[in-house]
Amino acid sequence: ASLLSTVRGVGLSGELEEILAELACRTPSQSPDHLRALASIVSALGDSRSAGSLELLQAFRSHADARVRANAVQALGRRARVDAWNSR
C-alpha cells in the first residue's frame, strides 16, 4: 500500500496531501537530491483524490526533469484507473 493509502486509513490523508502539494510547489532547485524528492512526491500525489493534486500532476507533465514528468504521467494513469474502477 502507498503512503497516502495507509494514511487515508487513519483519517489524515487531507493533511498529508496538503503537505505534499506544498512541498512540490516550493521553489525548486535543480540538485539531483531535490529532483529525486520531487519525483517521489509527484508519484505519491497520484494516490490523492483531491482536485488540487490533479491540477498539480497535470502541471508536472511539462517539468524540465524527465523523472518528474514520467512520475506525473504514471500517477495520472493510476488515478484514471482507480476512477474508472470506482465508476463501475
Side-chain angles (χ1 to χ4, degrees):
S2 73
L3 175 62
L4 276 174
S5 297
T6 302
V7 172
R8 189 174 290 120
V10 295
L12 296 174
S13 61
E15 290 86 350
L16 180 58
E17 289 173 20
E18 289 176 22
I19 291 168
L20 290 175
E22 181 182 327
L23 287 171
C25 291
R26 289 193 177 179
T27 305
S29 77
Q30 296 301 312
S31 74
D33 288 341
H34 175 84
L35 292 172
R36 268 192 299 280
L38 180 58
S40 295
I41 291 169
V42 167
S43 183
L45 286 171
D47 294 324
S48 168
R49 305 277 51 98
S50 73
S53 64
L54 177 60
E55 291 174 13
L56 273 175
L57 288 172
Q58 290 170 339
F60 279 117
R61 289 183 309 169
S62 60
H63 192 273
D65 183 71
R67 179 185 298 125
V68 173
R69 288 193 309 271
N71 284 11
V73 169
Q74 288 176 340
L76 287 165
R78 279 198 319 276
R79 282 182 65 125
R81 283 190 300 278
V82 168
D83 290 345
W85 177 261
N86 289 338
S87 68
R88 293 174 35 177

